[in-house]
Amino acid sequence: MPFRTPKLRSVRGRVIIAMSFLVVYVLASYIIVEKYFFIKRKGNASAPKVELEYVVVHLDFKGAPPKLAYLESLLPMLKKHGVNGLLIEYEDMFPYDGPLSILSKWNSYKKKELRAYLTAAVASGFEIIPLIQTFGHMEFALKHPELGFLRENPNFTDSICPSSPMSQNFLEKMIGQIIRFHRKIAPLRYIHVGCDEVTHINHCDLCRQRNSTKA
Ligand SMILES: [Zn+2]
């Protein structure tokens, strides 16, 4: 019969308690991790569902605009992910008419193919919202020497002068062409007029005379 001192029994007791804590700790960790990954696997089913009237994708055609056939091939995927609106920033890819045709890039979309794309998008249930820049981000227009007189600062092509009646006239024509084109395809409920990042403001004499603040 082995002889155990009270001290030895005390050490053994501590080891048993420590082991018990370790088992509980490992079990708890496993449950937490399993629950976390389970939620991840289930697509975070407990997260509240966000209900939005519109889920809109911004198609920005500056730089390297995609072919319309490719954009059309994306429509089913966008729809599958809950997208129901397209915000289309044409830049120089819109097929402008008349004197405004200088705004259209050499490889701008042809009217026929653009009409076909928009018709397909509308038929798939997408709301179409053209984005027409009217203040900043006007490089696609103001880079042309013929329109240089509309620049707020003659050295920069980004911002149009908001005080000149000629700016208003120009913008009305540009917006008018885009609205008329879209209305022949489907009712147009919204347009987006840009107005972000107007980096040059209150530079020209006309604007300064109005004594407006930069804000
Ligand atoms: Zn001005």
Side-chain angles (χ1 to χ4, degrees), residues 8 15 43 82 84 86 107 117 198 204:
L8 193 61
V15 169
N84 60 357
L86 300 174
N107 61 345
Y117 169 68
V198 186
C204 85

Side-chain angles (χ1 to χ4, degrees), residues 11-79:
V11 169
R12 196 175 156 194
R14 282 182 195 172
V15 169
I16 289 169
I17 289 168
M19 288 295 286
S20 304
F21 271 114
L22 187 67
V23 168
V24 170
Y25 176 76
V26 169
L27 264 175
S29 304
Y30 173 77
I31 290 165
I32 290 167
V33 169
E34 172 59 20
K35 196 171 177 187
Y36 173 74
F37 282 110
F38 178 75
I39 288 170
K40 289 274 271 193
R41 279 200 299 271
K42 295 287 264 185
N44 203 353
S46 60
K49 201 170 187 302
V50 180
E51 295 289 347
L52 298 169
E53 189 181 358
Y54 289 110
V55 178
V56 178
V57 163
H58 177 194
L59 302 176
D60 188 347
F61 293 154
K62 67 168 74 70
K67 297 242 186 253
L68 289 172
Y70 170 72
L71 289 175
E72 190 171 340
S73 75
L74 296 182
L75 293 176
M77 184 270 291
L78 293 175
K79 195 163 185 186

Side-chain angles (χ1 to χ4, degrees), residues 28 85 132 156 160 176 194 199 208:
I132 312 155
F156 298 94
I160 197 166
T199 49
R208 284 191 182 138

Side-chain angles (χ1 to χ4, degrees), residues 135 150-153 159-164 167 200-208 210:
F135 205 174
L150 297 175
R151 296 176 192 173
E152 176 60 21
N153 182 319
S159 310
I160 197 166
C161 171
S163 305
S164 166
S167 297
H200 296 93
I201 199 162
N202 264 354
H203 284 209
C204 85
D205 291 340
L206 266 180
C207 286
R208 284 191 182 138
R210 293 168 70 186

Side-chain angles (χ1 to χ4, degrees), residues 3-202:
F3 177 76
R4 291 191 179 113
T5 63
K7 194 179 175 189
L8 193 61
R9 280 204 296 274
S10 162
V11 169
R12 196 175 156 194
R14 282 182 195 172
V15 169
I16 289 169
I17 289 168
M19 288 295 286
S20 304
F21 271 114
L22 187 67
V23 168
V24 170
Y25 176 76
V26 169
L27 264 175
S29 304
Y30 173 77
I31 290 165
I32 290 167
V33 169
E34 172 59 20
K35 196 171 177 187
Y36 173 74
F37 282 110
F38 178 75
I39 288 170
K40 289 274 271 193
R41 279 200 299 271
K42 295 287 264 185
N44 203 353
S46 60
K49 201 170 187 302
V50 180
E51 295 289 347
L52 298 169
E53 189 181 358
Y54 289 110
V55 178
V56 178
V57 163
H58 177 194
L59 302 176
D60 188 347
F61 293 154
K62 67 168 74 70
K67 297 242 186 253
L68 289 172
Y70 170 72
L71 289 175
E72 190 171 340
S73 75
L74 296 182
L75 293 176
M77 184 270 291
L78 293 175
K79 195 163 185 186
K80 188 179 145 203
H81 288 286
V83 177
N84 60 357
L86 300 174
L87 177 70
I88 304 182
E89 185 167 1
Y90 284 110
E91 288 272 323
D92 50 11
M93 291 304 288
F94 185 81
Y96 289 99
D97 276 329
L100 290 189
S101 57
I102 58 161
L103 301 181
S104 304
K105 206 170 156 190
W106 63 272
N107 61 345
S108 64
Y109 299 133
K110 303 287 167 281
K111 279 186 181 175
K112 194 178 165 190
E113 58 172 356
L114 183 57
R115 204 175 287 124
Y117 169 68
L118 294 173
T119 303
V122 169
S124 301
F126 289 90
E127 182 84 32
I128 307 294
I129 308 167
L131 196 171
I132 312 155
Q133 296 288 354
T134 56
F135 205 174
H137 290 298
M138 294 291 302
E139 292 90 343
F140 71 95
L142 302 180
K143 70 182 178 186
H144 296 287
E146 299 93 322
L147 297 169
F149 65 98
L150 297 175
R151 296 176 192 173
E152 176 60 21
N153 182 319
N155 299 319
F156 298 94
T157 58
D158 58 285
S159 310
I160 197 166
C161 171
S163 305
S164 166
M166 289 181 288
S167 297
Q168 196 171 336
N169 184 273
F170 167 74
L171 294 172
E172 277 176 9
K173 283 185 176 145
M174 194 170 65
I175 292 171
Q177 285 200 14
I178 292 180
I179 287 179
R180 282 192 292 278
F181 184 84
H182 279 260
R183 276 190 177 157
K184 284 179 187 164
I185 298 160
L188 188 63
R189 296 207 285 173
Y190 304 105
I191 61 167
H192 186 309
V193 291
C195 294
D196 67 315
E197 297 180 326
V198 186
T199 49
H200 296 93
I201 199 162
N202 264 354

